[in-house]
Amino acid sequence: MSNPLIKITNIKRDFVLGNEIVYVLKGVNLEIKKGEYVALMGPSGSGKSTLMNLLGCLDTPTSGTYILNGKDVSQMHDDELAEIRNKEIGFVFQTFNLMPRTSALNNVALPMIYAGYSKSERNIRAKEVLEQVNLGDRMDHQPNQLSGGQRQRVAIARALVNKPSIILADEPTGNLDSKTSEEIMKLFSDIHKLGNTVILITHEEEIANYADRIIRLRDGMIESDLTK
């Protein structure tokens, strides 16, 4: 049996606030296989954002281990984590996080600059993923010339550009109307069918239902983990 893409063992995350310690994650165990489509749900304060930050190597745990694609990332330093993030994880955020005065093509190519690709390699690959998200005719447009749905497609293309192990989407439809949300979620389904591992963080049941597996957090623990 192949090793899981993600293996989290007894992960705890505490934060010190003044004289108080807040225990946010209280011993989470989780395995995600390559090619899964997982939704992470939970009410405000459940620890889902903290868990997302750990999964995305934006933060390290107080204790416990996190093995990502065979590497123990739980003890890594900031610059090592930055390298792992750039190679292994494609992020899609609710607020798109695009560079405002930069074309869609250059926004998408940005992670490839950090990965050390040449300009011609960057342009070829960025065009490829923009075609994949149906924005081949909008490559030269800046974010303010695009609709919310188109901006999110640019953000998805940027997440795909380095062929990461995981697409991590944090409330990706949070700023979109229901019709556009549906289009974006169909796009995630297509991306998943191509073999990508997708982890979706959402508080909306109808969005979570696009995933094949729904993990619910409550009070810093996994409350339920159901596969359809």
Side-chain angles (χ1 to χ4, degrees):
M1 167 141 170
S2 63
N3 289 329
L5 177 62
I6 285 173
K7 184 177 168 89
I8 277 183
T9 310
N10 200 23
I11 283 279
K12 295 181 180 175
R13 185 67 175 98
D14 316 334
F15 294 93
V16 178
L17 292 177
N19 303 329
E20 204 184 335
I21 297 178
V22 181
Y23 301 97
V24 179
L25 295 178
K26 302 168 185 170
V28 172
N29 295 295
L30 178 61
E31 288 191 6
I32 295 174
K33 295 192 208 59
K34 188 178 185 316
E36 278 198 274
Y37 190 169
V38 179
L40 204 53
M41 294 195 80
S44 188
S46 61
K48 71 174 187 296
S49 299
T50 302
L51 182 56
M52 188 211 77
N53 287 338
L54 291 171
L55 288 171
C57 297
L58 296 163
D59 188 18
T60 47
T62 305
S63 63
T65 54
Y66 174 16
I67 310 291
L68 169 59
N69 216 355
K71 298 182 193 85
D72 185 348
V73 297
S74 35
Q75 305 302 320
M76 283 188 178
H77 301 300
D78 289 352
D79 39 357
E80 294 172 296
L81 285 173
E83 197 176 321
I84 290 278
R85 279 197 302 274
N86 198 42
K87 276 192 193 147
E88 303 278 1
I89 300 156
F91 291 97
V92 181
F93 297 102
Q94 177 177 344
T95 50
F96 321 134
N97 287 12
L98 300 174
M99 309 277 276
R101 282 177 287 281
T102 305
S103 69
L105 185 73
N106 287 336
N107 262 295
V108 170
L110 197 60
M112 296 186 76
I113 295 176
Y114 301 123
Y117 290 95
S118 71
K119 187 158 194 221
S120 62
E121 287 173 312
R122 295 197 302 263
N123 283 348
I124 290 165
R125 176 67 184 147
K127 280 177 184 163
E128 200 177 281
V129 282
L130 279 165
E131 300 276 4
Q132 191 184 333
V133 301
N134 301 321
L135 279 183
D137 57 344
R138 294 280 190 280
M139 291 188 198
D140 298 327
H141 288 54
Q142 293 181 3
N144 65 358
Q145 300 169 308
L146 300 170
S147 68
Q150 288 169 333
R151 280 182 228 175
Q152 194 57 296
R153 284 171 186 270
V154 173
I156 292 167
R158 182 185 57 193
L160 290 167
V161 79
N162 272 345
K163 301 184 178 170
S165 308
I166 304 164
I167 303 292
L168 198 55
D170 184 16
E171 302 279 4
T173 60
N175 284 342
L176 305 174
D177 61 53
S178 53
K179 182 179 178 293
T180 311
S181 295
E182 206 173 298
E183 288 166 9
I184 291 296
M185 293 317 297
K186 285 204 174 107
L187 181 57
F188 276 113
S189 296
D190 293 343
I191 288 165
H192 171 246
K193 283 179 193 140
L194 292 170
N196 289 288
T197 307
V198 179
I199 302 175
L200 176 69
I201 290 84
T202 182
H203 65 279
E204 294 179 67
E205 291 289 341
E206 67 224 57
I207 297 296
N209 281 329
Y210 282 90
D212 302 325
R213 177 179 170 194
I214 299 179
I215 298 167
R216 292 175 198 274
L217 270 90
R218 185 174 291 278
D219 299 328
M221 307 281 287
I222 290 178
E223 182 181 50
S224 65
D225 183 348
L226 299 170
T227 303
K228 290 180 192 168

